[in-house]
Amino acid sequence: MVYKKIVKMIPVEKRETLSDKLLNYLLKTKKEAKMPSSMANCFLTQWQTSTFDDEAGLAVLLEATATVELEKTTEFVEKDLQLADVAKAIKEAAA
Amino acid sequence: MIMVKFGVEFVPKEAYWKTVYYAIQSEKRGFDNLWITDHYNNRNVYVTLAATAMYTKKIVFGPGVTNPFLVNPIMTTQSLATLDELAPGRVVLGMGAGDKTTLASTGIEANKQLSAVVDAITIFKKMLEGKSVNYEGNVFKVSGTKFNFKPRGQIPVYIGAQGPKMLATAGKIGDGVLINASHPKDVDYAVSQIKKGVDEAGKNMSDVDVTAYTSFSVHKKLDKAMQAASPVVAFIVAGSPDIILERHGLEMEKANAIRAGLKKGDFGAAFGSVTPKMIEAFSIAGTPDICNEKIARLLKSGITQFVVGSPIGPNVRNSIDLISEQVIPNFKQ
């Protein structure tokens, strides 16, 4: 729910870039153990039934990536996408 | 338009959700078959396949390949029969002799490899009939062995083969053959041996799914594709008999440098010794156009399934998309 609200703060034109970057962070992470199996299953169900480009999909992906690679995620959102308020909201949600 | 099935191989060395992510992606992007490798030092193949079954709908999958030495054929049959309940009609068995070096590290002596594979497949087929099985092979024997459940039926058997006897046997008793090769010279030779077995069994080549199980690397930039292929090719070179290296005119000095580097754990030196000629011999690596040309050549050898195996590309997710967009459409109606 929190992450759905965060996604709404992200301009639509930046969502595809973010989704692509987050998938790379997630699939290349070495911190696999940080991913709870319930979250992993939610991630896979989303991928099986839809994509990560729409609001619901991006929320699932953002939550998973913030759980596993918080620093990389917030750095990209803040520095590359220039969305400091979104980065702050992600940090608060993940805390 | 030539029709060929496309398969993809994944090594379950990372968390299950990554492998399953790629499995879902492969199904969405038009691949027909999915093969998961079976090595004791990675995640378990059947657990990975069970998860894959739950998240996919049509892709055909199986171990690519298991071996009868580390996993008893009865347990292999039980695993596949159960998977066939999870994903009816989508399961295949890939069975090979196993890698002697890896098996040696488990204390298993993989002797009488051909007999072991034949015994394992015989037991597999008999047990899937759902009856009590008595069988005395050269390596495996079973007596009054029967499941307490009724398997759904027969499951196609693919045999991983390289040597002439295993290739001919695969043609004789297999529904498919997994040829571990990427170069036309090796694939042509393999197909000629498979045909001997097919003829002996009174079958037609069209009865066998002749599969090129390649080391594959694709990227829009040639150097990136080649760079990604180097580590996998280094291991292939190190494990290849000298006769294979000579067949491809490769420098023994370089090959020995790779072997020495890998033995010492000096991967930088080993991978750095891989030459473009080695990559050419043991992988299909390059831009989509280059890969398309090489696949087209292999189709002329008579293959009916093309498997993109490790590394697939520098970024697996992007490479699967690239294959889906710029390779598969050239070979599918």
Side-chain angles (χ1 to χ4, degrees):
Chain A
M1 203 61 185
V2 177
Y3 283 92
K4 277 187 184 170
K5 284 183 183 169
I6 295 173
V7 169
K8 286 186 193 295
M9 297 163 65
I10 303 167
V12 174
E13 67 273 14
K14 292 189 175 181
R15 289 179 188 172
E16 195 180 329
T17 308
L18 177 61
S19 172
D20 186 62
K21 185 58 96 175
L22 295 184
L23 274 171
N24 274 344
Y25 288 155
L26 205 53
L27 293 170
K28 287 177 181 279
T29 187
K30 299 290 176 200
K31 301 173 189 168
E32 300 168 327
K34 281 188 165 186
M35 176 86 111
S37 61
S38 58
M39 190 179 284
N41 294 340
C42 182
F43 167 74
L44 291 174
T45 301
Q46 177 63 33
W47 181 218
Q48 179 193 19
T49 55
S50 186
T51 69
F52 295 110
D53 293 338
D54 60 12
E55 268 186 24
L58 189 52
V60 170
L61 179 60
L62 188 57
E63 183 172 7
T65 316
T67 303
V68 177
E69 290 285 3
L70 180 62
E71 205 172 309
K72 282 183 182 174
T73 302
T74 52
E75 191 178 310
F76 179 76
V77 169
E78 189 170 345
K79 292 186 179 166
D80 292 73
L81 297 184
Q82 297 286 303
L83 298 170
D85 53 338
V86 175
K88 186 171 173 250
I90 294 170
K91 281 179 196 167
E92 285 171 2
Chain B
M1 173 72 77
I2 301 164
M3 286 295 289
V4 64
K5 288 188 283 186
F6 273 81
V8 60
E9 173 218 61
F10 296 118
V11 179
K13 59 188 176 188
E14 297 181 286
Y16 78 95
W17 51 267
K18 290 188 186 179
T19 307
V20 177
Y21 173 91
Y22 294 128
I24 297 169
Q25 184 192 9
S26 301
E27 179 174 271
K28 286 185 174 194
R29 300 293 183 253
F31 283 87
D32 306 285
N33 285 67
L34 169 74
W35 300 94
I36 303 289
T37 62
D38 182 13
H39 296 107
Y40 79 89
N41 45 1
N42 291 326
R43 266 65 169 192
N44 181 270
V45 61
Y46 297 112
V47 175
T48 306
L49 288 172
T52 297
M54 303 305 285
Y55 287 100
T56 55
K57 283 182 182 166
K58 59 184 181 183
I59 201 162
V60 173
F61 58 81
V65 297
T66 188
N67 72 77
F69 295 105
L70 195 60
V71 185
N72 185 282
I74 296 169
M75 299 309 294
T76 298
T77 314
Q78 181 200 47
S79 302
L80 270 289
T82 308
L83 275 175
D84 199 35
E85 292 178 337
L86 274 176
R90 291 204 285 138
V91 178
V92 295
L93 167 65
M95 171 72 75
D99 165 39
K100 274 198 166 188
T101 310
T102 308
L103 287 169
S105 70
T106 66
I108 292 171
E109 288 180 26
N111 296 323
K112 297 183 184 173
Q113 292 184 315
L114 186 64
S115 293
V117 169
V118 171
D119 286 355
I121 290 167
T122 305
I123 291 167
F124 180 78
K125 288 182 175 178
K126 285 178 177 286
M127 288 203 71
L128 288 179
E129 289 173 3
K131 297 173 188 165
S132 178
V133 178
N134 295 298
Y135 174 77
E136 193 163 327
N138 286 328
V139 179
F140 294 102
K141 299 171 178 62
V142 294
S143 176
T145 309
K146 185 178 184 298
F147 291 132
N148 288 331
F149 66 98
K150 185 166 171 44
R152 286 187 68 258
Q154 288 300 320
I155 292 169
V157 174
Y158 287 66
I159 299 172
Q162 269 183 310
K165 287 182 183 170
M166 191 69 86
L167 284 161
T169 301
K172 190 175 171 184
I173 66 171
D175 301 295
V177 187
L178 301 173
I179 304 168
N180 224 334
S182 306
H183 195 280
K185 267 187 202 171
D186 297 323
V187 175
D188 285 345
Y189 172 76
V191 172
S192 70
Q193 300 307 307
I194 293 166
K195 190 167 183 324
K196 286 181 186 172
V198 165
D199 291 344
E200 197 184 324
K203 292 161 45 176
N204 296 314
M205 281 301 277
S206 58
D207 296 329
V208 182
D209 189 8
V210 180
T211 304
Y213 205 101
T214 70
S215 168
F216 191 89
S217 178
V218 67
H219 192 276
K220 285 178 180 170
K221 291 184 178 169
L222 177 62
D223 59 329
K224 289 200 170 186
M226 301 277 274
Q227 196 181 2
S230 289
V232 178
V233 169
F235 280 99
I236 296 173
V237 169
S240 292
D242 290 352
I243 192 169
I244 301 282
L245 302 179
E246 283 161 12
R247 184 192 293 171
H248 290 284
L250 299 174
E251 300 162 67
M252 293 307 296
E253 201 177 303
K254 290 265 185 188
N256 288 332
I258 291 171
R259 286 170 176 153
L262 291 178
K263 199 172 180 183
K264 281 191 293 186
D266 186 353
F267 296 111
F271 302 162
S273 299
V274 172
T275 64
K277 205 170 175 184
M278 288 173 181
I279 293 174
E280 174 76 18
F282 294 120
S283 73
I284 288 185
T287 61
D289 283 347
I290 291 171
C291 293
N292 282 330
E293 272 180 36
K294 292 185 175 186
I295 294 169
R297 170 61 187 86
L298 289 186
L299 291 188
K300 287 182 184 166
S301 305
I303 65 152
T304 48
Q305 183 180 158
F306 181 85
V307 176
V308 301
S310 301
I312 302 174
N315 178 311
V316 173
R317 181 171 67 92
N318 293 345
S319 294
I320 290 171
D321 283 343
L322 198 56
I323 294 164
S324 172
E325 289 159 12
Q326 297 187 32
V327 176
I328 293 178
N330 293 308
F331 302 99
K332 294 267 192 196
Q333 278 176 334

